Amino acid sequence: MTKPKLPGLAAGLKDKLIQQALERKLRQAAPAAQATAAARPASHRQAIAEEFYKFHLHPSYKQLRILNDGAARLGLQNPFFKLHEGTASDQTRIGGQTYINYSSYNYLGLSGDPAVNEAAKQAIDRYGTSVSASRLVSGERPIHRELELAIARLYGVDDAVTFVSGHATNVSTIGHLFGPRDLILHDELIHNSILQGIQLSGARRLPFPHNDWSTLDNLLDEQRHQFERVLIVLEGIYSMDGDYPDLPRFIELKRRHRCFLMVDEAHSLGVMGPQGQGIREHFNLDGGDVDIWMGTLSKTLAACGGYIAGESALVEHLKFLAPGFLYSVGMPPPVAAAALAALKRMHEVPARVHALQNRGKQFLVQARAAGIDTGTSEGLAVVPAIVGSSLKATRLSAQLFDQGINVQPILYPAVPEKAARLRFFISCTHTEDQIQQTIRKLKSLL
């Protein structure tokens, strides 16, 4: 809209006079607007239901209260938000007592490792506790690039970029790279962060049965030509079930159908492969076989955040344009330093990887021998005990806690009600005796 011309006045003064005139008009209009509102019938003013402006009436909160109140009437204590009083590994302290712990994904015992702790302390002394800005403007520190280049070397790819949240890594990456003219196909058991990213992107979403590359092939035959970009998303190890995909099969499909392939390695890094380098090492693949490698820093790497690794064009694109990176403060230096030190330690202590794999297999074999339903788990750090109802899973978790074992129930809607379970995270620091004791108690309670 063209501003009215006021000859003989400086540009700044013209703008000021125009602004004052607009403010006068707004002040004059305000009483009339108030009078109009007051003249409306009371029924119009009260037509908005309380549930639309009161948090305690929000439908999902009301559902939460129903579940919690129902559990209380059944004498069940809330199994969540237990207060751990120190480092959680194969053991933890809760309420002053020590428990065998299966509720932490400290797979290689690197959270609490002296070298990792020392690296974080030195980073605080050098850089402080925060970089106090987005990395793009003023938050870049050498420790960020050291970590990212180490991750890129791990995968044998050009580069990597780290985000301050693992969940936000998936949401921002998928939400930014794909759009309404694209298609995203994912395993039906994929993580919530992937689903949120797809929703943000506006892309068409098609799930396929768990680990079923054959059905995916048929879907691509039918759908690929209708879309521009197509993304296939898998996990390295599925966190609820403890199994993994036949990745070479999916790589062949993505090449034949000209798609992108993304693998979320949140639970497979440090767990799979002779040196713990993940599903790529397990199948002896080239880093370039997968377009987007994603992982988290909060599990094996004893820190917090997520990463994307791949070709330079992917990483540069995300660093300059992905909202979850661009508009977020840079990763705190002690967190980045801890992750980098943990990655170095993983390379230095392959015996921990072997111990983890042995303990996981031991747990799986003994659980199956005891008649416990472990689903499709491969015994690689995650083993479920499927009990068939949320109520039963909650009670069983409480009974084990009373006997000195801390394991969390996984309830509906996180899994289908008939698949409610206890989920055991195995660490390299668990002992054979701890596992035998756990299986024995679990069997007797079941």
Side-chain angles (χ1 to χ4, degrees), residues 405-438:
I405 297 170
N406 182 52
V407 58
Q408 292 296 103
I410 304 297
L411 315 174
Y412 175 83
V415 293
E417 176 64 16
K418 65 181 181 180
R421 65 196 61 192
L422 301 182
R423 180 172 58 167
F424 292 85
F425 288 123
I426 315 300
S427 165
C428 71
T429 55
H430 279 111
T431 66
E432 293 184 11
D433 181 66
Q434 286 173 332
I435 291 172
Q436 290 171 358
Q437 184 182 153
T438 299

Side-chain angles (χ1 to χ4, degrees), residues 162-324:
T162 53
F163 293 71
V164 292
S165 158
H167 191 282
T169 301
N170 280 333
V171 172
S172 196
T173 297
I174 295 174
H176 174 67
L177 292 178
F178 299 90
R181 291 192 293 271
D182 302 330
L183 171 67
I184 300 177
L185 303 109
H186 63 84
D187 190 290
E188 64 181 347
L189 301 184
I190 207 70
H191 192 263
N192 170 269
S193 56
I194 302 291
L195 300 179
Q196 294 293 312
I198 298 171
Q199 182 177 356
L200 176 63
S201 76
R204 172 87 181 277
R205 179 174 77 85
L206 282 177
F208 56 87
H210 183 47
N211 283 335
D212 188 346
W213 57 267
S214 179
T215 297
L216 174 62
D217 191 15
N218 293 334
L219 285 171
L220 288 168
D221 279 334
E222 297 169 1
Q223 302 285 335
R224 174 64 183 98
H225 65 283
Q226 301 180 38
F227 298 90
E228 294 181 357
R229 298 172 189 84
V230 173
L231 173 69
I232 303 164
V233 193
L234 313 170
E235 292 185 30
I237 287 179
Y238 287 88
S239 60
M240 294 294 177
D241 293 84
D243 59 359
Y244 56 87
D246 185 352
L247 188 52
R249 290 279 193 180
F250 288 94
I251 290 170
E252 190 276 326
L253 291 185
K254 82 102 181 177
R255 286 175 175 160
R256 179 153 50 84
H257 292 283
R258 298 176 183 261
C259 306
F260 293 108
L261 176 61
M262 178 177 184
V263 178
D264 180 335
E265 282 229 274
H267 290 272
S268 48
L269 180 65
V271 174
M272 297 184 75
Q275 308 298 313
Q277 295 180 27
I279 195 168
R280 183 179 77 88
E281 185 187 31
H282 177 86
F283 284 110
N284 193 28
L285 301 171
D286 185 83
D289 289 337
V290 170
D291 301 285
I292 306 173
W293 291 105
M294 180 273 172
T296 56
L297 308 176
S298 56
K299 299 170 179 67
T300 288
L301 297 186
C304 189
Y307 62 81
I308 295 290
E311 64 177 279
S312 296
L314 166 68
V315 173
E316 186 178 5
H317 190 174
L318 294 176
K319 289 178 75 170
F320 279 89
L321 295 173

Side-chain angles (χ1 to χ4, degrees), residues 3-20:
K3 291 181 181 179
K5 295 183 179 179
L6 299 177
L9 295 177
L13 183 56
K14 289 180 189 177
D15 289 342
K16 185 175 181 180
L17 291 172
I18 292 168
Q19 181 66 30
Q20 290 174 345

Side-chain angles (χ1 to χ4, degrees), residues 364-415:
L364 180 69
V365 169
Q366 292 189 18
R368 287 180 175 168
I372 296 165
D373 183 359
T374 58
T376 57
S377 176
E378 297 284 350
L380 287 167
V382 181
V383 182
I386 301 170
V387 297
S389 83
S390 295
L391 178 61
K392 189 172 183 179
T394 304
R395 281 179 170 157
L396 191 57
S397 172
Q399 290 169 331
L400 285 169
F401 191 74
D402 289 341
Q403 296 192 32
I405 297 170
N406 182 52
V407 58
Q408 292 296 103
I410 304 297
L411 315 174
Y412 175 83
V415 293

